[in-house]
Amino acid sequence: MEGEDKNEHRNEEEEEFNTPQQLEKKQRKGKEIASETEDQNEEDKRITLKVTQVSERPDRISPIVAYFSTGYDPCKVDPETGKRVHETPKVTVYKHKDDSKKRIQVVVSPPGARVEFVGTNYTGEQAAMQTNTYRVGVFNREAKTLRILPVAHNKIIRLEPKVKAQETVEEEASGSAVVEELGKLTTGERDRYNTKKAVTRDKKKRALNMGDDAETQKFLDGKLGELDVNTAALESTSSTVARNIPPYDAAATTAKEAYPLEKIIEKGEWSFLEDIYWLLEQGTEAATDAYPVFVRNRLFKLRDIKDDMKKQTVSGALTLLTHLVKFKDRNSMNGFDSAKNHKMPDIFRRKFQSMFKDSESERIPVDKANLLISYVLVLSLHVDNFKTDPEDIAKDLRISTVELRKHFQQLGCKFVKQNSTWVATLPTPLNFPEVNRRRKTRK
């Protein structure tokens, strides 16, 4: 009875499957391509398989598929001895106590190593949108069966190397334990288990943190103490103004070069900015109310673009603009409801947290909010070919058009009248407004 119950619960579908027959080879003039003996051998090689498709069960976890991001291979065999180079690692799977969240973590611990490989199905590249489905096939040659199994949560897990922490360390000293273990590793051991990107990053970090020895530092301090400082010259020197705007080139001759789009959107981020592009490819008549007003009013312009590369670029800029507006609403009092259901890729959520928020505060500070608005305005200029109407973007940012004009002017924009409408343009080279400095009154 127990076996029958399991068979019913699995809901497996079975069907006979024959390997595809090869097409009959045509005879050429003066030559016979295939003989009767070859046809007989081909018939002997055909195998009849019994295919079984296994569905997911709530009381069991499906097979987990993962890969190592480094050169570590637990199945590597020495060609001379025919034995495995590495011992069989220990594999541990952690599952969230709440089954509805469907979160798992895989930890692979090589014996005797100071690092372990950790991967999850909810962070990193696994958090990106996925349109395909994975399956695992298990072929039994003796029984002539093929079982098709689902992959756990339909995710291929990437295993990243992590330094092991002391399990007996107290909770308040857990952070120092990781640093201590990392210090014990030599440079060669870290480079062996790290990815090429991590190795290059560590080399640059070591070069930046390289300092002078104690004797050299003492000698330099003595020399600096002997120098005479010209205070009058320092007071007359004008200081360089640190502007709270996106990366720019003040000497650029074109508007696109003044605020380069590649300095705002990194190369690896474009694949996460395809939402609006696929919305147009599906032939949707209009965007939903979840998108900002500026984006909805620019969809007709996207449909008229014939160059597919340019269409993807403008769509990516609109998608990033949407994420920035929703991030601002989510961290404000009057716009939280409009952004609570917005799905933002984890790569942009972490980036915005580090750029526009302080770790101590829950809200965005004033200077960070002004920087976020500047990024939105630069993206709007790129979308409108550097002639943009500030009316709709002011509604999305929930500020007045008068206040928004000040932000445009801080970017070096000028307002011109076009068809009875004032639009923001970006003349080059950039000409920023002067900073007013208060002069000391003489008594």
Side-chain angles (χ1 to χ4, degrees):
M1 293 296 291
E2 185 179 355
E4 294 178 358
D5 185 24
K6 288 183 177 180
N7 292 334
E8 293 178 358
H9 196 281
R10 286 164 62 180
N11 192 17
E12 300 176 352
E13 298 179 359
E14 300 181 358
E15 57 181 359
E16 295 294 332
F17 176 79
N18 295 330
T19 55
Q21 300 180 3
Q22 296 183 357
L23 297 175
E24 296 181 359
K25 299 181 179 179
K26 297 182 180 180
Q27 295 183 353
R28 298 179 181 176
K29 294 181 180 180
K31 295 182 180 180
E32 290 184 357
I33 304 302
S35 61
E36 296 181 359
T37 306
E38 293 176 350
D39 294 339
Q40 186 66 28
N41 293 335
E42 291 178 0
E43 292 179 0
D44 296 340
K45 292 180 180 179
R46 295 172 186 166
I47 302 174
T48 302
L49 298 179
K50 184 179 182 181
V51 181
T52 305
Q53 185 172 359
V54 182
S55 58
E56 284 190 290
R57 295 183 55 175
D59 58 336
R60 294 183 183 180
I61 188 171
S62 300
I64 299 174
V65 180
Y67 70 96
F68 295 94
S69 60
T70 64
Y72 173 72
D73 184 5
C75 301
K76 186 177 181 181
V77 179
D78 190 352
E80 297 180 357
T81 60
K83 297 182 180 179
R84 283 190 176 184
V85 178
H86 305 286
E87 298 182 14
T88 303
K90 177 185 177 183
V91 181
T92 308
V93 178
Y94 298 94
K95 185 179 178 183
H96 199 280
K97 61 181 181 180
D98 187 0
D99 294 336
S100 61
K101 293 191 175 182
K102 298 181 180 180
R103 290 189 172 187
I104 59 174
Q105 183 183 44
V106 180
V107 180
V108 179
S109 305
R114 295 181 181 177
V115 298
E116 57 188 8
F117 298 90
V118 182
T120 65
N121 67 336
Y122 55 90
T123 58
E125 63 183 23
Q126 287 75 23
M129 184 179 65
Q130 183 174 323
T131 58
N132 53 348
T133 304
Y134 298 102
R135 290 290 185 270
V136 176
V138 181
F139 174 59
N140 190 336
R141 190 176 184 84
E142 296 180 356
K144 296 181 180 180
T145 59
L146 178 63
R147 301 185 67 193
I148 301 177
L149 306 171
V151 176
H153 306 305
N154 196 31
K155 296 288 185 180
I156 305 298
I157 298 177
R158 176 187 173 96
L159 298 175
E160 297 282 356
K162 303 290 182 181
V163 179
K164 286 185 178 179
Q166 295 283 351
E167 296 182 358
T168 58
V169 178
E170 296 181 354
E171 183 178 356
E172 61 271 10
S174 60
S176 60
V178 176
V179 177
E180 183 180 354
E181 284 293 320
L182 182 60
K184 292 180 181 179
L185 289 176
T186 62
T187 305
E189 288 177 340
R190 284 197 295 266
D191 294 348
R192 186 191 311 166
Y193 292 102
N194 278 344
T195 59
K196 291 183 179 180
K197 184 177 180 180
V199 171
T200 306
R201 184 184 65 242
D202 291 344
K203 288 181 179 179
K204 292 181 179 179
K205 189 175 182 180
R206 288 195 296 269
L208 290 174
N209 295 333
M210 188 179 297
D212 298 325
D213 56 330
E215 295 182 359
T216 306
Q217 190 66 35
K218 185 177 180 181
F219 174 77
L220 291 175
D221 292 341
K223 288 293 183 180
L224 291 175
E226 297 175 359
L227 296 176
D228 294 332
V229 180
N230 192 344
T231 308
L234 291 177
E235 291 178 353
S236 61
T237 304
S238 60
S239 59
T240 304
V241 178
R243 301 189 179 277
N244 193 26
I245 58 178
Y248 64 93
D249 183 6
T253 56
T254 61
K256 290 184 178 180
E257 295 175 355
Y259 290 97
L261 202 58
E262 57 270 14
K263 294 294 184 63
I264 299 175
I265 305 176
E266 297 180 5
K267 186 176 181 181
E269 297 175 349
W270 285 102
S271 58
F272 299 95
L273 297 174
E274 298 179 346
D275 297 353
I276 296 179
Y277 177 77
W278 290 116
L279 181 71
L280 295 176
E281 291 296 318
Q282 294 172 1
T284 308
E285 292 297 330
T288 61
D289 294 338
Y291 285 95
V293 179
F294 182 87
V295 176
R296 298 201 302 268
N297 293 342
R298 300 308 186 276
L299 288 182
F300 71 94
K301 183 180 296 185
L302 280 176
R303 296 189 181 96
D304 295 338
I305 298 177
K306 303 301 181 182
D307 187 4
D308 189 66
M309 184 61 66
K310 184 178 179 181
K311 182 182 290 187
Q312 291 185 19
T313 303
V314 177
S315 300
L318 285 174
T319 305
L320 181 60
L321 186 146
T322 302
H323 293 326
L324 286 168
V325 172
K326 295 302 180 182
F327 182 82
K328 180 179 180 297
D329 290 343
R330 186 175 294 178
N331 293 276
S332 61
M333 295 294 293
N334 55 351
F336 179 79
D337 294 336
S338 64
K340 62 181 180 181
N341 296 325
H342 178 69
K343 294 182 180 180
M344 184 182 303
D346 190 57
I347 184 175
F348 292 115
R349 181 180 291 105
R350 293 196 302 267
K351 182 178 181 179
F352 296 164
Q353 288 282 352
S354 61
M355 290 178 60
F356 307 121
K357 288 192 67 176
D358 295 333
S359 57
E360 296 91 12
S361 62
E362 297 181 359
R363 301 298 176 187
I364 301 178
V366 177
D367 58 335
K368 301 289 185 180
N370 293 334
L371 179 61
L372 188 149
I373 293 173
S374 298
Y375 270 89
V376 173
L377 298 185
V378 169
L379 290 172
S380 66
L381 288 170
H382 276 277
V383 171
D384 287 343
N385 200 16
F386 299 94
K387 287 185 179 180
T388 184
D389 184 1
E391 289 290 338
D392 45 8
I393 197 65
K395 296 178 182 179
D396 296 327
L397 294 174
R398 304 178 190 278
I399 58 178
S400 63
T401 55
V402 177
E403 185 69 21
L404 193 63
R405 291 180 73 134
K406 298 179 182 179
H407 289 279
F408 272 113
Q409 291 171 355
Q410 291 297 323
L411 296 173
C413 295
K414 303 294 183 182
F415 280 86
V416 297
K417 199 167 186 179
Q418 184 177 4
N419 298 331
S420 70
T421 303
W422 289 96
V423 295
T425 61
L426 188 66
T428 53
L430 295 178
N431 186 14
F432 296 107
E434 296 181 359
V435 179
N436 296 326
R437 296 185 178 91
R438 294 182 179 179
R439 296 181 179 179
K440 294 183 179 179
T441 57
R442 295 180 181 180
K443 296 182 180 180

